[in-house]
Amino acid sequence: MITLLPNRSASMRQTKVLIIAVSVFVLIIGLGWGLMGAPLVLPFAGLDVFLFAYFMHKVCNATYEKQVITINDERVLIQSGKQSIEHTAKFERPSAYIVVAEPNIPSEPIVLSLSDSKSRFELGQFLSHRDKAEARLALKNAGLREINEKWWVS
């Protein structure tokens, strides 16, 4: 069993504390300007707080994505989701292989997919360069064959 998880620098609770702290700070500044005779600052402070909270929550929530790859003699099962299993993909073990798409630009990460003759499923799109390299090695060590997406190019 291989579990792919993105790097997470803050938990949801820590993110909420940060959102509250920044929001209170911005709203105090906005209220101060409003009391000094600039009431047009208040709607922009509110918009700033709303957008900051929305995007921080959205980014933090995305770090809870995970993929669990279960490999046995008959099949390869991929389960992915955030709070629960949202997507499932099944591949027959003998015909399953890893497809590696090398980037044209060296600073971009590789793209890992699991494929067979019928379907293809991208693995670890949320992983960093180093984590994708580790996932690639773990999949190879689990006995899955690997091919380059452009296998015809030498």
Side-chain angles (χ1 to χ4, degrees), residues 7 73 121-122 127:
N7 292 326
D73 292 336
F121 190 89
E122 186 175 351
L127 296 176

Side-chain angles (χ1 to χ4, degrees), residues 5-17:
L5 298 166
N7 292 326
R8 184 181 313 125
S9 58
S11 68
M12 185 62 84
R13 185 170 193 272
Q14 292 168 326
T15 302
K16 287 179 182 179
V17 169

Side-chain angles (χ1 to χ4, degrees), residues 15-110:
T15 302
K16 287 179 182 179
V17 169
L18 176 68
I19 290 170
I20 290 169
V22 170
S23 298
V24 167
F25 181 72
V26 169
L27 290 176
I28 288 172
I29 291 173
L31 284 173
W33 278 103
L35 292 173
M36 294 182 72
L40 286 176
V41 171
L42 287 173
F44 290 103
L47 179 64
D48 188 33
V49 166
F50 171 76
L51 290 174
F52 177 73
Y54 174 76
F55 286 113
M56 284 295 293
H57 185 270
K58 188 172 175 91
V59 167
C60 183
N61 193 35
T63 65
Y64 283 87
E65 180 77 29
K66 78 175 182 178
Q67 291 178 337
V68 178
I69 305 163
T70 307
I71 303 169
N72 61 33
D73 292 336
E74 296 87 34
R75 66 183 177 152
V76 179
L77 175 68
I78 304 170
Q79 298 171 316
S80 63
K82 290 181 184 158
Q83 303 299 329
S84 62
I85 298 170
E86 297 169 6
H87 304 286
T88 301
K90 295 178 185 175
F91 297 89
E92 296 301 317
R93 173 69 187 266
S95 61
Y97 54 91
I98 309 162
V99 179
V100 179
E102 299 286 343
N104 294 332
I105 302 169
S107 62
E108 292 183 8
I110 61 172

